[in-house]
Structures are given as structure tokens and as C-alpha cells.
Amino acid sequence: MAKKNVRIHALEGAEMTAEGLSYKGVIMETVVEKCDGCERVVEFEDKKYCPSYAQPAIKWAHSVCNFATHVRAGVDKEGKVKVNPLKASKRAARGR
Ligand code: SF4
């Protein structure tokens, strides 16, 4: 019987090259500090990468990463974008 919530190794077929980690013809950059807690982070040879986005730093440069599983962007009363951590229960519910 298949196990629930089994994490698929999403960087299957990736290989380390002189330029960096190559995955599906794209050179991957390591995740940034803001990615900490995101369920999409995958470790490859002691470094952490995001299979959903090759350049995590750029994804976070202007706002909150829209692929993130650990935070959501919200807008406060002054119209500024706020980072709202997702509660553990909501994260668990998304996995159903
Ligand atoms: S989905 Fe976004 S927050 Fe998550 S690891 Fe990738 S770049 Fe980082």
C-alpha cells in the first residue's frame, strides 16, 4: 500500500556540472533564507534547491514567492504587502 505524504525526489535526473546544478537543461541556484520552511526545498549534495523555481532569490526580490508553502502574501491597511506565515493546520490540510 502506498504511503501518504511521501515526498517525491523532485530533482531526479539533475546533475552537478562546472556551472552548477543542471536540471532539465537549466542551471539551478540555491534557495535563499526566506525559503526556510518551504516544503518544496530539496537537498542535493548538501545544498538546497527549489525544483519549482531555478532562481529563488529573484522570486523573492519584489514580493512573496507565490509557490511558497510556508507563507502567504497579504496586504495591510496601508497597501503594503505583508508576509503571513501559514498555520501548521492549514499546511496539513493542503496536503490532503
Ligand atoms: S517555492 Fe518559493 S519559497 Fe519555496 S523553495 Fe521555491 S522559491 Fe523558495
Side-chain angles (χ1 to χ4, degrees), residues 64-76:
V64 178
C65 172
N66 58 325
F67 296 146
T69 62
H70 60 315
V71 291
R72 274 278 171 267
V75 179
D76 66 10

Side-chain angles (χ1 to χ4, degrees), residues 11 13-31 44 47-58:
L11 286 175
E15 57 183 331
M16 195 54 81
T17 65
E19 298 99 59
L21 182 68
S22 175
Y23 178 57
K24 293 182 179 175
V26 177
I27 299 299
M28 308 291 284
E29 291 178 9
T30 54
V31 297
F44 191 94
K47 289 185 179 172
K48 292 176 179 174
Y49 297 92
C50 172
S52 301
Y53 204 76
Q55 297 171 308
I58 292 175

Side-chain angles (χ1 to χ4, degrees), residues 25-39:
V26 177
I27 299 299
M28 308 291 284
E29 291 178 9
T30 54
V31 297
V32 294
E33 204 174 304
K34 289 174 180 171
C35 297
D36 279 353
C38 180
E39 290 170 14

